[in-house]
Every structure is written in C-alpha cells, then in structure tokens.
Amino acid sequence: MKVVIDTNSLLSLVRYYLPFDKKGVLFEFIKSKIESGDIIIIDKVFEECTYNSRGLVLKKLQYLTDKTFLKAAKVPYKTDSLLVPNTKQFFHLLNNNFVNQIVKKARNFTEVEFESEKTRFIESADMKQVILSLNLKAKGERVVLVTEETESNNDNKLFKKIPTICKELEIGTMTLPELIAKYDGIDIDFQ
C-alpha cells in the first residue's frame, strides 16, 4: 500500500505521538516506510513542513534534513510535471463537483477570477496529493491519502476538502491514528 501523507498528519505525528515514543519505535518505523517509498511526502507538503509550526516536523524528523537520506529515499516526491490521468473527466469534476457552488455564486467570480482560483487550487499541496494518488491508482497501486481533514464544514472555501474530493475519485483516505492501527508488526509502547 502506498501512503500519500499531508502536512497536518505529519504535524500530528510529531506533536502527539513521537513525544510518547520513548524507545523510538514509531520514529524508526515511519523512517523506514518513507525510505522504502511506502509513505510518500510530496514537494509541496515538504515545503509546508519547513514553515508550518516553525519547521517542527523537520526538527523532530531529523532524517528529513539529511541530504543523503533524502536522495536515497527520493524525498520529496517532485510534482511539478505531474499530470492528471483522465484530464477531461477530472476538469469536469473540478468545475462541477469539487467547487462549492454556494461560495462561487456568493463571491460572484468572473470567469477569469474563477480560472485563476482553479489554477491556484490545482497547484496546492492538497490537489497535488490527489493527483499523485490518481496516478498511483492508474498504475495499479493500492493508495491511501492520509489527512486529518474531515468531509464536513468547508470553512467557506471555494473548493471542497480532500476527503470529499477523494470520495468522488474513489481514493481511500484515513487519519494518522487509522494508519498506525492498520500497520501490522509495529509494537508501539507509548509512555
């Protein structure tokens, strides 16, 4: 299973789990999953990790600042040339299903403004993770996107949240606790 992980899940890992991982079991386990390519951190998420919470993720997961480790593990995953597998279907969904129509109408976007917002959204970490997941799925991989977001309440944003979009695209999502529980063979003793 390939796991595409978002910034908030990595923050949760270092804030709420690693402080109690006194023997470093979870720390080493996550490191090995990143190193093997089973957990994927994309460039946009990596970038967010450098400035969110003053770089806490990179401070606590020190191997993410080790150039030798990053090169060997191919981290971060480059998304600049990532394309959507079924472009026509994807853009149809983006224009109709992924947009919050109430917010779009309330803000009274011109066509140019909407296209600009759509482009910004496509280039966001959230959508790059979704697009990577679609590509992995198209290659026959079993993929799950790990996010702490929920489907409910869109905070008056123009586009819907990751779990809602993933549900439409038939991409599995789970939270960090669900991911940790899913891994067999990890014997964590939180203290």
Side-chain angles (χ1 to χ4, degrees):
M1 171 176 72
K2 296 288 183 186
V3 174
V4 179
I5 193 165
D6 76 355
T7 308
N8 288 328
S9 297
L10 289 168
L11 270 171
S12 292
L13 173 70
V14 300
R15 280 185 176 153
Y16 308 121
Y17 293 86
L18 292 186
F20 302 101
D21 181 32
K22 299 297 182 196
K23 295 181 183 172
V25 174
L26 183 60
F27 177 87
E28 288 299 325
F29 182 78
I30 296 296
K31 179 181 179 182
S32 72
K33 289 294 184 183
I34 293 171
E35 196 168 29
S36 69
D38 291 334
I39 294 180
I40 301 170
I41 302 172
I42 66 164
D43 49 7
K44 301 273 185 178
V45 167
F46 193 85
E47 182 183 324
E48 287 178 354
C49 288
T50 63
Y51 59 80
N52 277 6
S53 297
R54 294 185 212 134
L56 183 65
V57 169
L58 300 183
K59 288 176 189 167
K60 297 293 183 179
L61 301 176
Q62 301 94 346
Y63 48 84
L64 292 180
T65 58
D66 179 352
K67 290 182 187 205
T68 306
F69 175 84
L70 295 175
K71 187 175 181 181
K74 297 179 180 143
V75 174
Y77 188 99
K78 304 287 184 224
T79 61
D80 52 353
S81 60
L82 203 55
L83 300 173
V84 180
N86 186 340
T87 310
K88 186 176 179 180
Q89 177 193 20
F90 179 81
F91 280 101
H92 173 75
L93 290 169
L94 183 61
N95 289 325
N96 298 293
N97 298 34
F98 301 162
V99 69
N100 185 338
Q101 295 295 344
I102 296 167
V103 173
K104 184 180 177 186
K105 284 181 183 179
R107 293 190 190 164
N108 201 23
F109 285 104
T110 66
E111 194 172 320
V112 171
E113 290 170 332
F114 179 68
E115 288 300 317
S116 176
E117 289 297 316
K118 190 166 68 172
T119 300
R120 187 182 349 236
F121 183 63
I122 290 169
E123 292 299 317
S124 72
D126 287 356
M127 280 313 293
K128 290 293 187 177
Q129 291 173 99
V130 170
I131 294 168
L132 172 58
S133 297
L134 281 173
N135 278 279
L136 291 170
K137 192 176 157 191
K139 291 178 183 174
E141 294 279 356
R142 200 170 127 242
V143 63
V144 66
L145 203 156
V146 174
T147 181
E148 303 311 294
E149 286 185 4
T150 61
E151 285 186 62
S152 63
N153 193 354
N154 200 40
D155 305 326
N156 286 324
K157 292 182 180 174
L158 181 58
F159 293 97
K160 296 179 180 176
K161 295 166 95 174
I162 289 177
T164 305
I165 292 171
C166 285
K167 190 176 193 177
E168 182 78 32
L169 295 169
E170 298 177 352
I171 298 169
T173 60
M174 62 176 61
T175 62
L176 182 63
E178 291 169 331
L179 176 68
I180 292 171
K182 192 148 192 90
Y183 282 127
D184 289 331
I186 179 170
D187 187 23
I188 305 170
D189 183 21
F190 289 119
Q191 298 177 1

